[in-house]
């Protein structure tokens, strides 16, 4: 994909680059978001979610949901339990590198929430996507918030310099890209 | 005091250390395969960036600006980080840095810390200092864990266990990893990664103190950045109560926006990825999210003296990507241990002797560990002219008296045309007897000092007729 | 145009045929070549080994010797790199002559605008791009373009061509074991091509590669590419 195409269709670029690094990508219309989340959670027993996650995102999934609240944070052991998935939004996404950026802002929660569970489902809206690294950094509201840039699931290149997915961070990353093909702008 | 040798002082001259490494065929096979893999990966992702050369120039320029006004930027960083709730400490040398960190850990009452891979802490021998103080440091990066379990030392900046192949790693885990499940442990890389995950999981969830380095420190905001792959970094940076980061002073970048340049250069140059899986950035303390007790130790350890050398100081631009190691034909043959420093390869050959001064141990032999082929300079994302600095260090370093006398004698001849021509005639005359034993124009054995040549290859002889005679006859 | 030949000390002692080849090629193209006999060495060995003070008189001598020429041609990428890239910083007054110094393929392709020098060489040849020509002078494909025009020549690719052969000047002696380990891979790559000759821009590298091929009993022989370009079909 050329640079011009990337600017024209950052959603496709992001989807491709995420998939290159073994994230599972779901693209849908905003109205299909709840269904897409439910699909991504097919193997999940319990969902951990930031306190401000929109209830509508989980409306098509019928299972146990626990919320991580600043006043009553979930215990690490709870997050570390088998078949727990965490569902969040993100601050910005970076198409060129296939990266989502969390800044502990709305719909994201604290860092441990997206780290300890073995499965992370992240919802990205088309208008959150920047093309390049500098563009994405410039869109962060406050760079002094705790920032986590995520490009695919946990991986290592430490054995013979071959990339292997799945070490300490979440071993499965599902990214749901919502795109309204007829934006009002 | 610890009796451990300095991690940045070569105990043996490079040629001698290289000889041992060359004798290890398994090592050479492992290195050849790994460096070939990473070279190809890097080239592919570099080639897809149309403005790569501009990015390199930008990276070099930002770092040069930092080096030109380091004290000012450090003060700015310290003020910003302090305002955000971090406690900033300054360490002039390795001993002071170890003392500060050890004191901080002791104050928590913990006798175990988890560590994120960090060159700065290796450089100062922190694990050994902690061990002397009764604190166990657990390396959590997979390659560092392999090296630590094997009771070995790292041999590569990015991939410390590059000298091991998968079956050797499997053996190390089988023998040394407590509680490892031998029934599922194969030499399949995912199985090895799974074993590391299980081994470290409980430690991540329970250890109260973590120690890290940082890839970048942003002066404007007081932010630290750690670039990693596995998630062990995120675990250490997020879950413990206390976080201590040891940061070389040259890690400063002026503004947050400058990261936009380096976060493009670093992953593509190091692991050959468009972006590494995880990058964490934190600024002081965030209540309810991550460690409540955040310390930053700014480490000098020989860096400020380097700034006085206008040629040598470009080595401080280094962002520890390892691209120069991976393209270096010398590194590919001998591996990292031959350099006798935690900083191996081309960058190590210019960084190590400058950090310590060339009088330290055998560090003065490191600038000669290169053919000056220039592959490192081409690969460097911040355009460090490594061959230039190598030659510069050769010029300023000590030289054996015999070599100096010999080179001076040759120089005296070379600047006088008549002596030079007489010298050519003399050498042609001296070569005459060897023609009797030459085969196909090549000689198998010559006396010292050319015996070093003929130990490994044949030598041609000067022919009888010279160009000058031919030219004169025309 | 007044062209001065800088032979280089290695060629002066060991490879007279390479200098003769340069003269023949240029004369065949209608140019006059001069050989200032006062020339010695460019000082590269001293400068690269850290003997800058000792190298300086050689630099000054080179600048004096070649001051009057429109162009200086040399059959060595590393000597041309030394002169053009290092002289201006070592001795600013040497800068004017330094900028007029060219490796042979630069003179032929860039200055004289020639890629076909009328050569004939009916052999299988592989080409090793020596490091300083490749990475300091950025010769690119100039030598290969010249070789590609040679009648009868079968130019075969060298695997891992851009890896250093391990010569490195005094490195070959000071770090002989590493040098030989690098050489072993280079000679194996040359042998794998099945070429009769391995060509390069630098006889120093070729002396090293040739010594390795000879020790290994390999059939391929080293040959400076100028000697290939000078070779002509015998008159019938």
């Amino acid at each position: 994909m050329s640079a011009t195409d990337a600017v024209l269709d950052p959603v496709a670029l992001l989807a491709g680059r995420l998939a290159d690094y073994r994230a599972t990508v779901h693209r849908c219309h905003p109205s299909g978001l709840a269904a897409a989340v439910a699909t991504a959670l097919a193997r999940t027993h319990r969902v951990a979610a930031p306190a401000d996650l929109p209830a509508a995102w989980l409306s098509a999934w019928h299972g146990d949901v626990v919320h991580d609240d600043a006043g009553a944070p979930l215990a690490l052991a709870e997050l570390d339990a088998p078949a727990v998935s965490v569902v969040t939004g993100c601050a910005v996404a970076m198409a060129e590198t296939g990266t989502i950026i969390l800044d502990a802002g709305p719909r994201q929660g604290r860092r441990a929430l997206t780290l300890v569970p073995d499965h992370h489902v992240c919802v990205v809206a088309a208008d959150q996507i920047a093309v390049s690294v500098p563009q994405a950094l410039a869109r962060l509201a406050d760079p002094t918030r705790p920032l986590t840039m995520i490009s695919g699931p946990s991986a290592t290149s430490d054995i013979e310099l071959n990339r292997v997915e799945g070490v300490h961070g979440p071993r499965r990353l599902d990214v749901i890209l919502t795109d309204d093909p007829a934006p009002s702008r | 005091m610890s009796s451990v040798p300095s991690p940045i002082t070569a105990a043996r001259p490079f040629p001698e250390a290289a000889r041992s490494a060359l004798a290890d065929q398994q090592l050479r096979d492992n290195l050849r395969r790994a460096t070939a893999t990473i070279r190809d990966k890097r080239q592919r992702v570099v080639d897809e960036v149309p403005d790569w050369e501009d990015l390199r120039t930008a990276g070099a320029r930002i770092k040069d600006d930092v080096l030109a006004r380091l004290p000012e930027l450090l003060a700015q960083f310290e003020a910003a980080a302090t305002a955000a709730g971090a406690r900033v400490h300054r360490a002039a040398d390795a001993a002071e840095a170890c003392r500060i960190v050890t004191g901080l850990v002791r104050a928590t009452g913990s006798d175990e810390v988890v560590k994120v891979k960090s060159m700065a802490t290796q450089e100062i021998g922190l694990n050994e200092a902690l061990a002397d103080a009764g604190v166990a440091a657990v390396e959590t990066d997979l390659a560092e864990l392999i090296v630590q379990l094997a009771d070995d030392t790292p041999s590569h900046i990015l991939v410390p266990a590059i000298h091991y192949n998968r079956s050797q790693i499997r053996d190390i885990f089988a023998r040394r990893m407590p509680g490892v499940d031998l029934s599922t442990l194969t030499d399949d890389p995912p199985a090895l990664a799974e074993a590391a995950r299980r081994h470290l999981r409980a430690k991540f969830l329970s250890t109260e103190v973590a120690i890290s380095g940082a890839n970048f420190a942003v002066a404007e905001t007081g932010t630290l950045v750690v670039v990693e792959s596995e998630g062990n970094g995120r675990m250490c940076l997020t879950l413990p109560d206390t976080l201590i980061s040891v940061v070389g002073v040259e890690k400063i970048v002026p503004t947050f926006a400058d990261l936009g340049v380096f976060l493009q250069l670093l992953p593509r140059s190091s692991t050959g990825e468009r972006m590494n899986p995880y990058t964490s950035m934190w600024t002081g303390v965030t209540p309810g999210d991550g460690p409540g007790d955040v310390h930053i130790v700014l480490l000098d350890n020989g860096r400020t003296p380097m700034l006085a050398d206008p040629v040598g100081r470009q080595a401080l631009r280094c962002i520890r990507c390892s691209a120069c190691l991976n393209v270096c034909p010398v590194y590919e043959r001998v591996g990292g241990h031959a350099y006798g420093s935690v900083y191996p390869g081309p960058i190590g050959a210019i960084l190590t002797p400058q950090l310590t001064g060339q009088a330290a141990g055998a560090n003065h032999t490191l600038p000669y560990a290169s053919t000056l082929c220039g592959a490192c300079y081409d690969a460097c994302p911040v355009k460090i002219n490594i061959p230039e600095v190598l030659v510069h260090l050769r010029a300023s370093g000590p030289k054996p008296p015999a070599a100096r006398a010999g080179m001076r004698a040759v120089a005296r001849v070379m600047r006088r045309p008549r002596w030079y021509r007489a010298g050519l005639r003399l050498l042609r005359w001296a070569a005459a007897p060897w023609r009797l034993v030459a085969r196909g124009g090549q000689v198998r054995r010559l006396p010292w000092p050319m015996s070093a040549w003929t130990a490994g290859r044949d030598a041609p002889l000067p022919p009888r007729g010279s160009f000058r005679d031919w030219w004169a006859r025309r | 145009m007044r062209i001065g030949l800088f032979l280089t000390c290695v060629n002066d002692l060991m490879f007279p045929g390479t200098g003769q080849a340069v003269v023949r090629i240029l004369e065949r193209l209608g140019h006059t070549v001069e050989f200032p006999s006062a020339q010695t060495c460019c000082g590269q060995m001293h400068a690269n080994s850290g003997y800058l003070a000792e190298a300086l008189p050689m630099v000054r001598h080179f600048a004096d010797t070649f001051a009057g020429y429109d162009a200086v041609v040399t059959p060595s990428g590393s000597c041309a790199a030394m002169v053009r890239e290092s002289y201006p910083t070592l001795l600013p007054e040497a800068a004017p002559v330094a900028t007029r110094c060219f490796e042979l393929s630069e003179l032929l392709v860039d200055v004289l605008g020639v890629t076909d020098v009328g050569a004939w060489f009916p052999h299988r040849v592989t080409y090793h791009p020596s490091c300083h020509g490749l990475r300091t002078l950025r010769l690119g494909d100039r030598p290969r373009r010249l070789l590609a025009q040679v009648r009868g020549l079968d130019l075969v690719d060298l695997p891992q061509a851009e890896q250093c052969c391990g010569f490195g000047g005094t490195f070959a002696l000071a770090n002989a074991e590493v040098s030989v380990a690098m050489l072993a891979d280079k000679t194996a790559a040359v042998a794998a091509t099945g070429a009769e000759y391995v060509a390069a821009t630098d006889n120093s590298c070729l002396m090293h590669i040739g010594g390795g091929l000879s020790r290994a009993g390999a059939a391929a022989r080293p040959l400076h590419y100028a000697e290939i370009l000078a070779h002509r079909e015998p008159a019938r």
Side-chain angles (χ1 to χ4, degrees):
Chain A
M1 174 175 285
S2 77
T4 325
D5 291 342
V7 176
L8 290 175
D9 192 358
V11 183
L13 181 65
L14 176 64
R17 295 280 152 103
L18 280 164
D20 273 359
Y21 286 152
R22 310 286 171 83
T24 304
V25 181
H26 314 256
R27 293 182 63 174
C28 64
H29 187 272
S31 61
L33 173 59
V37 171
T39 305
L41 293 174
R43 285 190 271 159
T44 300
H45 291 164
R46 171 180 285 189
V47 164
D52 61 349
L53 193 85
W57 290 13
L58 293 171
S59 58
W61 189 71
H62 307 290
D64 194 8
V65 179
V66 288
H67 286 96
D68 186 58
D69 208 297
L74 296 170
L76 292 182
E78 223 170 324
L79 296 174
D80 193 38
V84 170
S85 299
V86 56
V87 179
T88 70
C90 74
V92 180
M94 210 144 75
E96 210 166 71
T97 59
T99 304
I100 51 180
I101 306 181
L102 308 180
D103 71 353
R107 304 166 180 182
Q108 298 161 58
R110 62 186 171 125
R111 285 174 289 171
L113 183 63
T114 45
L115 171 63
V116 179
D118 206 16
H119 180 210
H120 181 190
V121 178
C122 184
V123 178
V124 180
D127 63 4
Q128 291 181 300
I129 302 173
V131 174
S132 72
V133 179
Q135 286 164 359
L137 295 183
R139 282 177 62 167
L140 289 169
D142 177 2
T144 67
R145 284 186 191 164
L147 301 173
T148 307
M149 296 171 50
I150 299 172
S151 310
S154 161
T156 182
S157 298
D158 281 354
I159 300 165
E160 299 176 8
L161 277 165
N162 280 307
R163 186 175 159 120
V164 177
E165 274 79 17
V167 198
H168 304 297
R171 287 182 285 191
R172 289 163 57 213
L173 174 67
D174 280 76
V175 178
I176 297 169
L177 301 178
T178 64
D179 190 12
D180 188 342
S184 53
R185 65 195 145 90
Chain B
M1 269 306 287
S2 164
S3 61
V4 178
S6 159
I8 50 170
T9 301
R12 292 195 291 166
F14 180 80
E16 193 186 311
R19 195 173 302 137
S20 320
L22 286 167
D24 185 344
Q25 192 56 47
Q26 179 73 65
L27 171 71
R28 288 173 66 182
D29 290 347
N30 294 352
L31 286 168
R32 183 196 306 248
R33 193 170 308 120
T35 55
T37 303
I38 191 67
R39 279 200 299 266
D40 291 350
K41 281 173 72 180
R42 173 193 167 276
Q43 199 61 53
R44 273 199 301 276
V45 294
V46 163
D47 287 347
E48 72 179 35
V49 181
D51 57 350
W52 183 252
E53 288 307 312
D54 296 340
L55 275 176
R56 291 176 75 210
T57 305
R61 202 170 287 155
I62 293 167
K63 282 289 187 177
D64 280 348
D65 172 45
V66 167
L67 300 178
R69 52 190 186 102
L70 192 55
E72 167 200 335
L73 291 171
L74 283 170
Q76 191 189 0
F77 174 82
E78 182 169 350
T82 305
R87 279 163 58 198
V88 179
H89 314 256
R90 302 265 192 143
D93 57 23
E96 188 177 7
C98 287
R99 205 158 52 234
I100 293 169
V101 176
T102 307
L104 291 170
V105 176
R106 272 191 173 145
T108 66
S110 291
D111 58 4
E112 188 169 75
V113 299
V114 282
K115 277 190 73 201
V116 191
K117 178 177 156 30
S118 134
M119 294 309 300
T121 60
Q122 282 179 33
E123 175 189 324
I124 61 174
L126 181 62
N127 290 7
E128 293 76 11
L130 288 170
D132 287 350
V135 177
V138 179
E139 293 288 355
T140 64
D141 168 79
L142 177 52
E144 290 284 1
L145 174 69
I146 294 163
V147 167
Q148 191 175 46
L149 289 174
D151 203 14
D152 195 359
T153 55
S155 72
H156 189 279
I157 291 174
L158 178 77
V159 196
I162 193 173
H163 54 297
Y164 292 123
N165 66 23
R166 59 185 73 187
S167 72
Q168 290 169 307
I169 294 167
R170 190 256 166 209
D171 290 346
I172 292 165
F173 280 13
R175 278 186 287 115
R176 300 287 182 86
M177 186 180 272
V180 70
D181 182 0
L182 288 170
S183 67
T184 57
L185 188 68
T186 66
D187 67 358
D188 191 26
L192 295 168
E194 169 69 23
R197 179 185 169 98
R198 284 195 200 163
H199 173 65
L200 290 173
R201 196 79 185 168
K203 292 218 188 295
F204 285 136
L205 298 182
S206 65
T207 308
E208 287 162 3
V209 182
I211 296 176
S212 82
N215 294 90
F216 306 101
V218 183
E220 175 187 46
T221 54
T223 305
L224 290 184
V225 183
V226 162
V227 172
E228 53 130 357
S229 294
E230 296 164 14
N232 64 307
R234 293 176 69 191
M235 291 281 179
C236 293
L237 301 171
T238 310
L239 302 186
D241 305 323
T242 301
L243 171 61
I244 305 166
S245 304
V246 182
V247 184
V249 291
E250 83 285 11
K251 296 288 158 192
I252 293 278
V253 295
T255 68
F256 188 77
D258 292 328
L259 294 174
V261 171
F262 294 106
L263 290 178
Q264 293 180 78
L265 290 169
L266 180 56
R268 291 180 197 260
S269 298
S270 57
T271 50
E273 293 165 310
R274 295 185 188 109
M275 190 58 78
N276 49 290
Y278 300 131
T279 297
S280 295
M281 307 189 194
W282 71 102
T283 307
V285 174
T286 303
D289 191 343
D293 191 16
V294 171
H295 296 267
I296 302 166
V297 181
L298 294 172
L299 174 73
D300 194 294
N301 206 31
R303 287 158 173 79
T304 296
M306 279 178 69
L307 291 172
D309 181 342
V311 177
R313 76 182 194 181
Q314 60 186 303
L316 291 176
R317 288 184 203 147
C318 176
I319 56 173
R320 311 284 189 264
C321 73
S322 311
C324 64
L325 278 62
N326 301 331
V327 300
C328 177
V330 175
Y331 179 87
E332 183 185 330
R333 303 315 186 291
V334 302
H337 291 155
Y339 295 81
S341 162
V342 300
Y343 299 113
I347 187 62
I350 62 171
L351 194 55
T352 300
Q354 292 197 87
L355 286 173
T356 61
Q358 295 204 51
N363 284 1
H364 66 278
T365 63
L366 295 174
Y368 295 88
S370 166
T371 62
L372 306 179
C373 83
C376 49
Y377 182 25
D378 277 5
C380 179
V382 288
K383 284 190 165 175
I384 301 170
N385 189 336
I386 293 177
E388 179 187 38
V389 182
L390 288 167
V391 169
H392 175 72
L393 293 175
R394 292 175 185 185
S396 59
K399 299 178 187 68
R404 181 180 288 277
M407 291 295 269
R408 284 201 170 145
V410 173
R412 272 196 293 278
V413 172
M414 291 291 203
R415 63 174 187 253
R416 294 176 175 83
R418 291 177 61 183
W419 290 25
Y420 169 76
R421 289 195 294 267
L424 293 177
R425 282 195 296 273
L426 179 70
L427 286 170
R428 261 191 288 274
W429 174 80
W434 298 98
R435 293 205 183 90
L436 301 173
V437 296
R439 278 191 210 155
Q442 299 269 350
V443 185
R444 286 194 83 91
R445 194 176 296 170
L446 285 171
W448 187 90
M450 292 309 292
S451 50
W453 180 279
T454 51
R457 50 285 213 222
D458 293 349
L461 289 171
R464 285 191 188 83
S466 78
F467 176 87
R468 287 165 188 271
D469 294 339
W470 174 82
W471 182 264
R473 282 198 308 270
R474 279 162 44 102
Chain C
M1 183 163 65
R2 259 190 101 195
I3 301 175
L5 169 64
F6 174 51
L7 184 59
T8 82
C9 60
V10 167
N11 291 324
D12 211 344
L13 177 66
M14 303 291 296
F15 303 99
T18 300
Q20 293 167 15
V22 174
V23 173
R24 288 195 177 112
I25 296 163
L26 290 171
E27 289 184 345
R28 198 157 78 209
L29 296 170
H31 301 279
T32 307
V33 184
E34 295 178 38
F35 176 77
S37 68
Q39 65 180 270
T40 60
C41 163
C42 66
Q44 182 188 185
M45 179 179 77
H46 285 82
N48 282 353
S49 306
Y51 295 90
L52 289 180
E54 287 79 2
L56 261 182
M58 288 179 247
V59 174
R60 196 168 285 120
H61 179 69
F62 181 101
D64 292 344
T65 307
F66 287 98
Y69 294 93
D70 301 315
V72 180
V73 64
T74 183
S76 163
S78 72
C79 299
M82 166 72 188
V83 172
R84 215 164 64 215
E85 301 301 319
S86 298
Y87 274 24
T89 43
L90 288 172
L91 186 72
E93 55 263 44
V97 66
T99 55
R100 299 196 300 272
C101 181
F102 303 99
E103 190 278 329
L104 176 65
S105 68
E106 296 175 307
L107 182 80
L108 291 172
V109 175
D110 301 346
V111 182
L112 305 178
V114 182
T115 50
D116 185 349
V117 296
W120 174 82
F121 195 74
H123 298 281
R124 174 176 278 214
V125 175
T126 192
Y127 174 74
H128 164 70
S130 290
C131 299
H132 293 172
L134 181 71
R135 300 194 188 86
T136 309
L137 296 178
R138 306 281 174 197
L139 293 182
D141 64 352
R142 289 178 186 83
R144 283 186 67 105
R145 273 156 68 196
L146 289 159
L147 288 170
Q149 296 291 325
V150 173
R151 250 71 77 199
L153 188 144
D154 177 16
L155 188 59
V156 290
D157 285 341
L158 180 65
Q160 301 286 315
E162 297 192 352
Q163 246 209 22
C164 177
C165 71
F167 171 65
T170 50
F171 179 87
L173 301 177
N175 278 288
E177 283 92 345
V178 186
S179 171
V180 168
M182 291 161 68
L183 175 61
D185 292 335
K186 186 58 73 178
T187 54
V190 170
T193 65
E196 298 160 77
Y197 295 95
V198 52
T201 52
D202 287 70
N203 272 326
S204 47
C205 308
L206 285 171
M207 189 164 68
H208 183 63
I209 296 170
L213 289 166
S214 170
R215 181 64 57 95
R221 290 283 168 267
L223 188 61
H224 196 284
Y225 83 122
E227 301 191 38
I228 294 173
L229 298 180
H231 206 267
R232 302 204 72 177
E233 192 161 10
R236 291 165 207 256

